[in-house]
Amino acid sequence: MSSMIKLGIVGYGNLGKGAIEAIKQTPDMELVAIFTRRDPKDLNIDEPNVKTVNIAKANDYKNEIDVMLLCGGSATDLPEQTPYFASMFNTVDSFDTHAKIPEFYQSVNKAATKNNTTAIISVGWDPGLFSINRVMADAILPNGENYTFWGKGLSQGHSDAVRRVNGVKNGVQYTIPAEEAIEKVRSGSNPELTTAEKHARVCYIVAEEGADKAAIEYEIKTMPNYFADYDTEVNFIAEEELKRDHSKAPHGGFVIRGGNTGAGNKQIYEFSLKLESNPEFTASVLVAYARAAYRLNNEKQFGAKTVYDVAPGYISPRSSEELRRDYL
């Protein structure tokens, strides 16, 4: 690229911290500022050329930032923040509440189209890379079934959701795939599996002093779009145990499609990820798609976009000539 793409980050949680590290590995990008609802002085960021700014002053940076990475949670942050920031900046977010993506898209598309910005929504690995592979597998093997398995791993979105439950001081959630179900799918038998048969969800919760633990457990287990359809286990532990045993964020999963071609030949399409750090990998995907948001906006392709609207060449730092020569 002829010039550096200037980025901003909204939110300084695990995803925001991962984005800082990802930007350091991309020579065509530079981080301008981190925006926070907290007092900027409290962030203690060891990045001398990066400003820390209160989120209320983001409008002052419209001419300094090409793409804003939105690193908040899907439960409450992104539904408000993405349309708001898309009215001022090109944006990339990781909204991952699958059932609400259609209405989220409409809200963001309205703001971005009106203001000539480009907003790529629901970027990451699921939704994101897994989404692409579900569509690819379905198109290639029309006579078949798609299956998605997550984990074993710590879910950022679901952990954010449990932490927002009244009475929860801190907490994490692990998604556990059923090995028996995975092997059935890999056999090519295309079994009918319920949501509960494919995964279990295990939560480790630090409750606030005096909190009603029974009420916390009930609210978690009945939470729509997150836990209501799953076998969910809620464990209450001390904060020291949470820090000691649950501070890392591994994750991963599989997209598998079993299908038949020709004279009934069984074909298995499988895409998998094994991640030592879910937030760092997700942040790396966000940063790559920031490149796409910048390029699409320069082409005047305004409005909300998903990974289905972005050709792979848009996210690569390499030229079209390099891609054809080295990767095709």
Side-chain angles (χ1 to χ4, degrees):
M1 288 195 174
S2 59
S3 61
M4 299 284 280
I5 302 173
K6 300 182 184 301
L7 303 181
I9 292 174
V10 177
Y12 191 60
N14 290 332
L15 189 58
K17 293 172 183 176
I20 293 174
E21 298 306 312
I23 294 167
K24 290 178 181 178
Q25 297 181 347
T26 52
D28 60 333
M29 300 184 185
E30 64 177 330
L31 180 59
V32 173
I34 299 168
F35 299 87
T36 178
R37 287 175 295 205
R38 292 177 276 173
D39 185 338
K41 296 178 182 177
D42 293 339
L43 295 191
N44 297 318
I45 295 172
D46 188 22
E47 302 292 335
N49 297 321
V50 177
K51 300 175 183 177
T52 55
V53 185
N54 187 275
I55 199 170
K57 297 182 179 180
N59 188 56
D60 297 341
Y61 289 79
K62 287 176 66 173
N63 296 324
E64 296 185 40
I65 291 174
D66 297 314
V67 185
M68 194 74 86
L69 303 179
L70 306 181
C71 296
S74 297
T76 58
D77 294 332
L78 295 177
E80 294 183 2
Q81 289 181 354
T82 302
Y84 172 73
F85 281 98
S87 70
M88 299 179 285
F89 302 92
N90 302 316
T91 63
V92 181
D93 69 63
S94 61
F95 183 79
D96 66 357
T97 308
H98 292 266
K100 294 186 176 181
I101 286 176
E103 63 186 80
F104 181 70
Y105 172 90
Q106 293 296 337
S107 173
V108 177
N109 188 54
K110 181 178 179 180
T113 302
K114 181 180 179 180
N115 293 280
N116 292 344
T117 63
T118 303
I120 307 181
I121 69 163
S122 299
V123 168
W125 57 275
D126 198 4
L129 302 183
F130 275 23
S131 310
I132 294 170
N133 279 277
R134 282 190 285 265
V135 168
M136 291 285 290
D138 177 69
I140 294 165
L141 296 172
N143 183 19
E145 295 290 337
N146 273 355
Y147 300 86
T148 302
F149 294 93
W150 303 283
K152 177 182 178 181
L154 190 151
S155 168
Q156 294 292 117
H158 286 71
S159 295
D160 178 69
V162 300
R163 287 193 290 267
R164 293 176 185 273
V165 171
N166 186 42
V168 173
K169 184 178 182 181
N170 204 347
V172 295
Q173 187 266 191
Y174 291 90
T175 303
I176 315 295
E179 291 296 331
E180 182 180 353
I182 293 174
E183 291 310 311
K184 284 182 180 179
V185 171
R186 284 177 173 157
S187 75
S189 63
N190 289 350
E192 291 187 12
L193 298 170
T194 65
T195 298
E197 286 175 324
K198 291 188 289 184
H199 299 91
R201 297 195 180 276
V202 179
C203 305
Y204 293 92
I205 303 299
V206 178
E208 294 178 352
E209 187 174 353
D212 186 337
K213 293 182 179 179
I216 292 172
E217 182 172 357
Y218 177 80
E219 185 172 347
I220 290 173
K221 288 185 173 182
T222 59
M223 190 182 298
N225 301 318
Y226 285 91
F227 299 101
D229 297 328
Y230 296 87
D231 290 332
T232 301
E233 177 183 316
V234 178
N235 302 283
F236 291 94
I237 61 175
E239 190 157 22
E240 294 75 15
E241 183 179 345
L242 186 78
K243 292 178 180 178
R244 184 188 69 231
D245 299 336
H246 305 285
S247 60
K248 293 186 178 180
H251 216 327
F254 312 84
V255 170
I256 307 173
R257 185 175 181 86
N260 296 321
T261 59
N265 292 303
K266 287 184 179 181
Q267 318 285 12
I268 301 295
Y269 178 116
E270 181 169 342
F271 174 82
S272 68
L273 291 172
K274 297 176 179 64
L275 312 175
E276 286 192 357
S277 173
N278 179 10
E280 285 190 5
F281 185 83
T282 300
S284 296
V285 183
L286 286 174
V287 170
Y289 274 87
R291 188 179 291 112
Y294 175 77
R295 289 173 166 175
L296 290 169
N297 189 258
N298 284 342
E299 294 177 359
K300 302 188 185 305
Q301 295 193 46
F302 306 136
K305 310 292 181 185
T306 72
V307 292
Y308 300 135
D309 304 308
V310 182
Y314 279 95
I315 74 170
S316 175
R318 305 179 189 279
S319 68
S320 297
E321 292 76 15
E322 287 177 300
L323 292 175
R324 286 191 293 270
R325 183 191 68 209
D326 299 332
Y327 289 90
L328 194 57

